[in-house]
């Protein structure tokens, strides 16, 4: 079965610090997609990034960067020079269909990491 | 720019009551999904549909029913509301399996409280 683990339940840092959110996944599918979503206090889900299993290049978007390593089944997210507006719950999610063992379509989410940026 | 529209945004139900959460998308997406989010937890898949007339169970289907009579609509039905169904419900859609192409589009959520 598919699984996404976000071991950090809550992280609190002071503004301008760098912070890394960890994500470890499990799937038997060879083709899959990994996602990060942000959920601010208002509750909506904001898409941040999608990465497919064949593309291990790291990605940088402004203060955000993502490190995908298939060898360790990890897809970590780093915020550089954090800001108060980055305070939110961040979810890592996996999309795969395990043809060998069945399984539903859709996303498998981790439990989320609550990031608190203190001024 | 409608995307995925969920109604209502908030609802309070009494134990044993029934209700339907509405979800509509105007992007001609084949795949639609219902998730629930409990406090401190990630989203869990309730039901999904790969096209009109086809639905299937997700991880937590008990207590819910769905139908997909059109490509656009995917309502979620609670027949006998229980306190355990207090949650935030998200509807989502995608054009392709696995969220390829345009990825997934989420609605803004329905906050349901059962008392």
């Amino acid at each position: 079965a598919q699984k996404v683990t976000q071991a950090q339940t809550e992280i609190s840092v002071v503004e301008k610090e760098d912070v890394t959110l960890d994500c470890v996944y499990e799937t038997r599918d060879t083709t899959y997609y990994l996602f990060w979503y942000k959920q601010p206090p208002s509750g909506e889900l904001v898409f941040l990034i999608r990465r497919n299993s064949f593309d291990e290049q790291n990605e940088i978007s402004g203060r955000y960067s993502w490190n995908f390593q298939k060898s360790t089944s990890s897809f970590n997210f780093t915020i550089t020079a954090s800001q108060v507006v980055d305070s939110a719950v961040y979810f890592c999610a996996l999309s795969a269909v395990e043809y060998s063992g069945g399984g539903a379509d859709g996303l498998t989410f981790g439990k989320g990491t609550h990031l608190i940026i203190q001024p | 720019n409608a995307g995925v529209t969920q109604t209502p945004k908030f609802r309070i139900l009494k134990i044993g009551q029934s209700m339907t959460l509405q979800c509509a998308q105007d992007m001609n997406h084949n795949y639609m999904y219902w998730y629930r989010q409990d406090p401190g937890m990630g989203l869990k898949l309730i039901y999904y549909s790969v096209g009109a007339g086809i639905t299937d169970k997700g991880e937590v289907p008990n207590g819910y029913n769905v139908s997909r009579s059109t490509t656009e609509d995917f309502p979620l039905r609670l027949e006998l509301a229980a306190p355990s169904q207090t949650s935030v419900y998200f509807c989502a859609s995608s054009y392709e399996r696995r969220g390829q192409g345009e990825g997934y589009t989420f609605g803004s959520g329905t906050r349901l409280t059962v008392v």
Side-chain angles (χ1 to χ4, degrees), chain B residues 48-113:
Chain B
Y48 68 101
S49 169
V50 301
I54 306 171
T55 63
D56 208 346
K57 297 177 180 179
E59 183 183 359
V60 290
N62 291 345
Y64 306 95
N65 279 301
V66 293
S67 60
R68 184 94 181 270
S69 56
T70 66
T71 299
E72 294 77 21
D73 299 298
F74 190 41
L76 178 71
R77 178 88 178 156
L78 284 71
E79 291 294 348
L80 292 170
S84 60
Q85 294 177 305
T86 294
S87 190
V88 179
Y89 292 84
F90 287 96
C91 180
S93 70
S94 64
Y95 187 71
E96 298 187 58
R97 215 176 189 186
R98 295 199 185 103
Q100 299 171 66
E102 301 163 359
Y104 296 92
T105 302
F106 280 85
S108 58
T110 295
R111 186 175 295 274
L112 176 67
T113 303

Side-chain angles (χ1 to χ4, degrees), chain A residues 13-44:
Chain A
V13 301
V14 177
E15 199 172 20
K16 297 183 183 177
E17 287 186 15
D18 299 346
V19 58
T20 296
L21 282 60
D22 297 333
C23 173
V24 174
Y25 63 92
E26 297 175 30
T27 180
R28 290 177 291 182
D29 201 357
T30 56
T31 302
Y32 52 89
Y33 291 81
L34 294 163
F35 299 76
W36 276 95
Y37 288 90
K38 175 182 180 180
Q39 187 176 46
S42 52
E44 75 274 20

Side-chain angles (χ1 to χ4, degrees), chain A residues 9-78:
Chain A
T9 304
E10 184 174 288
I11 299 175
S12 181
V13 301
V14 177
E15 199 172 20
K16 297 183 183 177
E17 287 186 15
D18 299 346
V19 58
T20 296
L21 282 60
D22 297 333
C23 173
V24 174
Y25 63 92
E26 297 175 30
T27 180
R28 290 177 291 182
D29 201 357
T30 56
T31 302
Y32 52 89
Y33 291 81
L34 294 163
F35 299 76
W36 276 95
Y37 288 90
K38 175 182 180 180
Q39 187 176 46
S42 52
E44 75 274 20
L45 287 167
V46 178
F47 167 77
L48 295 177
I49 190 172
R50 178 186 63 194
R51 173 67 69 212
N52 74 54
S53 53
F54 298 111
D55 183 1
E56 287 194 70
Q57 280 193 341
N58 293 332
E59 178 147 345
I60 298 174
S61 176
R63 296 184 296 105
Y64 295 171
S65 63
W66 290 268
N67 179 251
F68 176 32
Q69 290 193 337
K70 285 180 76 171
S71 61
T72 56
S73 297
S74 64
F75 186 42
N76 297 336
F77 172 33
T78 297

